[in-house]
Amino acid sequence: MAEIYDQMNEKTKEKIQSVFLQLLEDRHFNKISVQTIAQAAGINRGTFYLHYLDKYDLLDRMEASLLEGLENHLRQLQPGPLLEEAEKGAISFQAVGVFHYIGQHEEWFRVFLGEHNQSGFHRRLKDFFVRHFLDKIIANPDFFKTATVPADYLSAFATSAFLGLIEQWLDNGLAESPAEMADMYIRIIFFIRNLDGRQ
């Protein structure tokens, strides 16, 4: 019985999240109310509040869930093997996995990065990539050995390029495959790495 109840709760949460994304695609976050979400989901406000404190809690938890999944994929991305495979002309399987995840959650990324959402997600995603770049890429001895640009500026430049790559892919309707996007990502890393001209 408890399992059936849990399944019903999960389905209700999925419905709430689904209609919230649909609403956010058409109107600004500030114009969306809990009542609007509840009506679109076919539930009452009390049911909504069983799952979320308010619309801000709903947004925060959805964004956090999206970034947590992305982190799980980026955690598997190892700069050393990525460099070795790229120099042999191969594309990192883990890098492909990152773009596969983004493709699977295309609607979430597109809507949260869209003009109707609050500006916070774009910043959260950029900060997320900055931390990843600093911790994994710049800290790796095989990358940026003699870079003369401070690490924080280098990572800001690189992550802006990577975020732009993702946004363009979303704008293009995922026209390229995850493997093609991973290849572009790796080429951008190598391009930035060689900008110094002393590698």
Side-chain angles (χ1 to χ4, degrees):
M1 188 68 179
E3 184 178 343
I4 295 175
Y5 182 75
D6 289 342
Q7 289 175 353
M8 290 175 62
N9 274 339
E10 193 59 35
K11 286 183 179 180
T12 301
K13 287 173 66 176
E14 289 174 2
K15 182 65 175 176
I16 291 171
Q17 293 175 358
S18 177
V19 299
F20 176 63
L21 283 175
Q22 293 170 16
L23 290 167
L24 196 56
E25 200 163 9
D26 296 329
R27 65 187 81 173
H28 195 277
F29 177 78
N30 293 336
K31 301 294 184 182
I32 300 173
S33 67
V34 169
Q35 181 63 31
T36 305
I37 298 169
Q39 286 179 341
I43 60 174
N44 57 48
R45 291 178 61 188
T47 301
F48 177 92
Y49 289 122
L50 285 175
H51 300 285
Y52 302 101
L53 297 174
D54 50 33
K55 67 176 186 177
Y56 298 95
D57 181 44
L58 169 60
L59 177 63
D60 286 346
R61 285 163 67 176
M62 287 180 71
E63 289 182 351
S65 173
L66 191 62
L67 292 179
E68 182 180 351
L70 186 59
E71 171 62 26
N72 289 337
H73 283 79
L74 286 173
R75 194 179 296 126
Q76 301 174 42
L77 191 60
Q78 299 301 320
L82 182 147
L83 176 65
E84 293 173 7
E85 291 176 28
E87 288 177 339
K88 295 175 183 176
I91 301 174
S92 166
F93 176 77
Q94 286 78 18
V96 174
V98 171
F99 285 97
H100 183 69
Y101 175 81
I102 295 170
Q104 282 184 314
H105 298 82
E106 177 264 343
E107 183 184 16
W108 288 49
F109 279 103
R110 180 172 45 77
V111 173
F112 287 155
L113 289 169
E115 61 181 350
H116 292 151
N117 193 17
Q118 301 197 113
S119 59
F121 183 71
H122 194 281
R123 184 74 221 180
R124 285 177 73 179
L125 187 58
K126 185 175 180 180
D127 289 345
F128 176 86
F129 284 132
V130 164
R131 289 195 302 272
H132 164 72
F133 201 82
L134 284 170
D135 292 344
K136 284 202 165 185
I137 305 297
I138 290 184
N140 190 282
D142 293 324
F143 282 78
F144 307 109
K145 298 173 187 174
T146 60
T148 57
V149 178
D152 55 345
Y153 284 94
L154 188 60
S155 61
F157 177 78
T159 53
S160 291
F162 185 44
L163 188 52
L165 187 71
I166 292 172
E167 290 179 306
Q168 188 61 47
W169 190 37
L170 295 172
D171 287 344
N172 287 350
L174 308 184
E176 295 80 15
S177 70
E180 289 173 318
M181 295 306 299
D183 181 52
M184 278 191 263
Y185 162 70
I186 293 167
R187 279 189 276 152
I188 285 175
I189 294 295
F190 273 90
F191 172 76
I192 294 170
R193 179 176 179 251
N194 294 325
L195 278 178
D196 184 75
R198 306 173 197 176
Q199 302 296 324

